[in-house]
Amino acid sequence: MNTDTFWADVEDHLVRYIPVFTPRIIERAAGSYVYDSDGNALLDFTSGQMSAVLGHAHPAIVKAVSECVGSLDHLFSGMLSRPVVELAKRLSRTLPGDLTKMLLLSTGAESNEAAIKMAKLFTGKYEIVSFDRSWHGMTSGAAAATFSAGRRGYGPTMPGNFILPTPNAYRSGFRRQDGSHDWESELEYGFTMVDTQSNGSLAACLVEPILSSGGLIELPVGYLARLKEMCEARGMLLILDEAQTGLGRTGHMYAFERDGVAPDLLTLSKTLGAGLPVAAVMTSAEIEQVCAERGFLFYTTHVSDPLAAVIASTVLDVIEQDHLVERAAELGRLLTDRLTALRDTHEVVGDIRGRGLLQGLELVAGKASKAPADALGTAVTAACLDRGLHMNIVQLPGMGGIFRIAPPLTISEHELHTGMDILSDALAEVTKSN
């Protein structure tokens, strides 16, 4: 393809599924870097789409994919292979409690779709609750449970979807007398509103332990346990979407481990495939048995593909062999220290949050006002890119621009410092010029 006509061809032939594309033509990727058509190395602080936990072109993944494509990659959906069953056993061994049954799929939206259908079939009810800053996918059921974006202009969503207020400690109006975040009252208020609207058919609550597209909002300690209690009191299942938080990203194998609370259904994607399309639903034998008896159907083209299973098993191998969970915790502490220094130095850095190698920095007009600073976020993103750092900023109504920082778990300490140095320099330059 002619580089000179690339962007004209984009304009003529591609559907624009986001407002703007990164203004670089990417030719290849390796390790923690992607490389553009001019040969520039861009440090990837987003792990692709928050997925490439092993970095780009990891040798173990390259080897596994090459061998699998040459022998056994795809089958009729009613056929099973050894890699799929082995992956199910391995995943169940990494999980607590009753999460022993696996459905192997391709994408995060697909896994959330399947989990929602299982919850509806198991409970015999249809109403789904999620956060008002949620993002769970673009297919019909997942999109109906997504409230951070993409709801206008498409007509009615699936019926029976309600919201809980996202427990954003930085911006929530629920405060104790000492000014701290009163998440308990916020959660009680949210369920009071849900109960008022419900037709008495609450099936499940679907949430992320750390909302990523929702602005890197981490659930307070104790929130998940109380949420599960409130779900159980209503006969609801708890579905945790760990597309971005699973597989070591937060310094735990799964983010929910910090709270000691296991879900009824767990959805995995993104990190499970290390950048390739792999997803899974994990649930209990009881839920699977009831759903099977009631005729559960999720018959897709790539369900139980051996290639997906081999990739996921390879990801588990590397995470275990290279101690990447512990590494994410260690590098996460370093990242928190660097972000804290930025917050203490810059008036426009309002908040930092997250854990492990999934952290966020919220830009504001000023610490006192907490007013959104969209133009500032755009300028800092561009300044970082010019310096060789790819960053992603989430801009939501009523919030400042939030940088999502999620480098590969394989990133070196030097590379992490390099990225933070670039971000620091970009912030200093943009704020000085403004």
Coordinates of all heavy atoms in Angstrom, one line a residue, residues 341-380:
A341 N 4.1 11.5 42.5 CA 5.0 12.7 42.3 C 4.4 13.7 41.4 O 4.5 14.9 41.6 CB 6.4 12.2 41.9
L342 N 3.8 13.2 40.3 CA 3.2 14.1 39.3 C 2.0 14.8 40.0 O 1.8 16.0 39.7 CB 2.7 13.3 38.1 CG 3.8 12.8 37.1 CD1 3.1 12.0 36.0 CD2 4.6 13.9 36.6
R343 N 1.2 14.1 40.7 CA 0.0 14.7 41.4 C 0.5 15.8 42.4 O -0.1 16.9 42.5 CB -0.8 13.7 42.2 CG -2.0 14.2 42.8 CD -2.6 13.2 43.8 NE -1.7 12.9 44.9 CZ -1.9 11.8 45.7 NH1 -2.9 11.0 45.5 NH2 -1.0 11.6 46.6
D344 N 1.6 15.5 43.1 CA 2.1 16.5 44.0 C 2.8 17.7 43.4 O 2.9 18.8 44.0 CB 3.1 15.8 45.0 CG 2.4 14.8 45.9 OD1 1.2 14.8 45.9 OD2 3.1 13.9 46.5
T345 N 3.2 17.5 42.1 CA 3.9 18.6 41.4 C 3.0 19.5 40.6 O 3.2 20.7 40.5 CB 5.0 18.0 40.5 OG1 5.9 17.2 41.3 CG2 5.8 19.0 39.8
H346 N 2.0 18.9 40.0 CA 1.2 19.6 39.0 C -0.2 20.0 39.5 O -0.9 19.0 40.0 CB 1.0 18.8 37.7 CG 2.3 18.6 37.0 ND1 2.9 19.6 36.1 CD2 3.2 17.6 37.0 CE1 4.0 19.2 35.6 NE2 4.3 17.9 36.1
E347 N -0.6 21.2 39.4 CA -2.0 21.6 39.8 C -3.0 21.0 39.0 O -4.2 20.8 39.4 CB -2.0 23.2 39.7 CG -3.4 23.8 39.9 CD -3.9 23.6 41.3 OE1 -3.1 23.3 42.2 OE2 -5.1 23.7 41.6
V348 N -2.7 20.6 37.8 CA -3.7 20.0 36.9 C -3.9 18.5 37.0 O -4.7 17.9 36.4 CB -3.4 20.3 35.4 CG1 -3.4 21.8 35.1 CG2 -2.0 19.7 35.0
V349 N -3.1 17.9 37.9 CA -3.2 16.4 38.1 C -4.1 16.3 39.4 O -3.7 16.5 40.5 CB -1.9 15.7 38.3 CG1 -2.1 14.2 38.7 CG2 -1.1 15.8 37.1
G350 N -5.4 16.0 39.2 CA -6.3 16.0 40.3 C -6.3 14.7 41.1 O -6.5 14.7 42.3
D351 N -6.2 13.6 40.4 CA -6.3 12.3 41.1 C -5.5 11.2 40.4 O -5.3 11.3 39.2 CB -7.8 11.9 41.2 CG -8.0 10.7 42.2 OD1 -7.3 10.7 43.2 OD2 -8.9 9.9 41.9
I352 N -5.0 10.3 41.2 CA -4.4 9.1 40.7 C -5.1 7.9 41.3 O -5.5 8.0 42.5 CB -2.9 9.0 40.9 CG1 -2.5 9.0 42.4 CG2 -2.2 10.1 40.1 CD1 -1.1 8.7 42.7
R353 N -5.2 6.8 40.6 CA -6.0 5.6 41.2 C -5.6 4.4 40.4 O -5.1 4.4 39.3 CB -7.5 5.9 41.2 CG -8.0 6.5 39.9 CD -9.4 7.0 40.1 NE -10.0 7.5 38.8 CZ -10.3 8.8 38.6 NH1 -10.0 9.7 39.5 NH2 -10.8 9.1 37.4
G354 N -6.1 3.2 41.0 CA -5.8 1.9 40.3 C -4.7 1.2 41.1 O -4.3 1.6 42.2
R355 N -4.3 0.1 40.6 CA -3.3 -0.7 41.3 C -2.6 -1.6 40.3 O -3.1 -1.9 39.2 CB -3.9 -1.6 42.4 CG -5.0 -2.4 42.1 CD -5.7 -3.0 43.4 NE -7.1 -3.3 43.2 CZ -7.6 -4.6 43.2 NH1 -6.8 -5.6 43.4 NH2 -8.9 -4.8 43.1
G356 N -1.4 -2.1 40.7 CA -0.6 -2.9 39.8 C -0.3 -2.1 38.5 O 0.0 -0.9 38.6
L357 N -0.3 -2.8 37.4 CA -0.1 -2.1 36.1 C -1.4 -1.8 35.4 O -1.5 -1.9 34.2 CB 0.8 -3.0 35.2 CG 2.3 -3.1 35.8 CD1 3.1 -4.0 34.9 CD2 2.9 -1.7 35.9
L358 N -2.3 -1.3 36.2 CA -3.6 -0.7 35.6 C -3.9 0.5 36.5 O -4.5 0.4 37.5 CB -4.7 -1.7 35.6 CG -6.0 -1.2 35.0 CD1 -5.9 -0.8 33.6 CD2 -7.2 -2.2 35.2
Q359 N -3.4 1.6 36.1 CA -3.6 2.8 36.9 C -4.0 4.0 36.0 O -3.8 4.0 34.8 CB -2.3 3.2 37.7 CG -1.9 2.1 38.7 CD -0.8 2.5 39.7 OE1 -0.9 3.6 40.2 NE2 0.1 1.6 40.0
G360 N -4.6 5.0 36.7 CA -5.1 6.2 36.0 C -4.6 7.5 36.6 O -4.4 7.5 37.8
L361 N -4.6 8.5 35.8 CA -4.3 9.8 36.2 C -5.3 10.8 35.6 O -5.5 10.8 34.4 CB -2.9 10.2 35.7 CG -2.3 11.6 36.0 CD1 -0.8 11.5 36.0 CD2 -2.7 12.6 34.9
E362 N -6.0 11.5 36.5 CA -7.1 12.4 36.0 C -6.6 13.8 35.9 O -6.2 14.4 36.9 CB -8.3 12.3 36.9 CG -9.5 13.2 36.4 CD -10.8 12.9 37.1 OE1 -10.9 11.9 37.8 OE2 -11.7 13.7 36.8
L363 N -6.7 14.4 34.8 CA -6.3 15.8 34.5 C -7.5 16.7 34.8 O -8.7 16.4 34.3 CB -5.8 16.0 33.1 CG -4.5 15.3 32.8 CD1 -4.2 15.6 31.3 CD2 -3.3 15.8 33.6
V364 N -7.3 17.8 35.4 CA -8.4 18.8 35.7 C -7.9 20.2 35.5 O -6.7 20.4 35.4 CB -8.9 18.6 37.2 CG1 -9.6 17.3 37.4 CG2 -7.7 18.8 38.2
A365 N -8.8 21.1 35.5 CA -8.4 22.5 35.3 C -7.7 23.0 36.6 O -6.8 23.9 36.5 CB -9.7 23.4 35.0
G366 N -8.1 22.5 37.7 CA -7.4 22.8 39.0 C -7.9 21.9 40.1 O -9.0 21.4 40.0
K367 N -7.0 21.7 41.1 CA -7.4 20.8 42.2 C -8.6 21.2 42.9 O -9.4 20.4 43.4 CB -6.2 20.7 43.1 CG -5.0 19.8 42.6 CD -3.9 19.6 43.6 CE -2.9 18.5 43.2 NZ -2.2 18.8 42.0
A368 N -8.8 22.5 43.1 CA -9.9 23.0 43.9 C -11.3 22.8 43.2 O -12.2 22.3 43.8 CB -9.8 24.4 44.3
S369 N -11.3 23.1 41.9 CA -12.5 23.1 41.2 C -12.8 21.7 40.7 O -14.0 21.3 40.5 CB -12.5 24.0 40.0 OG -11.6 23.5 39.0
K370 N -11.8 20.9 40.4 CA -11.9 19.5 39.8 C -12.6 19.6 38.4 O -13.2 18.6 37.9 CB -12.7 18.6 40.7 CG -12.1 18.3 42.0 CD -12.9 17.2 42.8 CE -12.3 17.0 44.1 NZ -13.1 16.0 44.9
A371 N -12.6 20.8 37.8 CA -13.3 21.0 36.5 C -12.6 20.2 35.4 O -11.4 20.1 35.4 CB -13.4 22.5 36.1
P372 N -13.4 19.6 34.5 CA -12.8 18.8 33.4 C -11.8 19.7 32.6 O -12.0 20.9 32.5 CB -14.0 18.4 32.6 CG -15.2 18.4 33.5 CD -14.9 19.5 34.5
A373 N -10.8 19.0 32.0 CA -9.8 19.7 31.2 C -9.6 19.0 29.9 O -8.5 18.4 29.7 CB -8.6 19.9 32.0
D374 N -10.7 18.9 29.1 CA -10.6 18.1 27.9 C -9.5 18.5 26.9 O -8.7 17.7 26.4 CB -11.9 18.1 27.1 CG -13.0 17.3 27.9 OD1 -12.7 16.7 29.0 OD2 -14.2 17.3 27.5
A375 N -9.4 19.8 26.7 CA -8.4 20.3 25.7 C -7.0 20.0 26.3 O -6.1 19.7 25.5 CB -8.5 21.8 25.5
L376 N -6.8 20.1 27.6 CA -5.5 19.8 28.1 C -5.1 18.3 27.9 O -4.0 18.0 27.6 CB -5.5 20.1 29.6 CG -4.2 19.8 30.4 CD1 -3.1 20.6 29.9 CD2 -4.5 20.0 31.9
G377 N -6.1 17.4 28.1 CA -5.8 16.0 27.9 C -5.4 15.7 26.5 O -4.5 14.9 26.3
T378 N -6.1 16.3 25.6 CA -5.8 16.1 24.1 C -4.4 16.6 23.8 O -3.6 15.9 23.1 CB -6.8 16.8 23.3 OG1 -8.1 16.3 23.5 CG2 -6.5 16.7 21.8
A379 N -4.0 17.7 24.4 CA -2.7 18.3 24.1 C -1.6 17.5 24.7 O -0.5 17.2 24.1 CB -2.6 19.7 24.7
V380 N -1.8 17.0 25.9 CA -0.8 16.1 26.6 C -0.6 14.8 25.8 O 0.5 14.3 25.6 CB -1.1 15.9 28.1 CG1 -0.2 14.9 28.7 CG2 -1.1 17.2 28.8

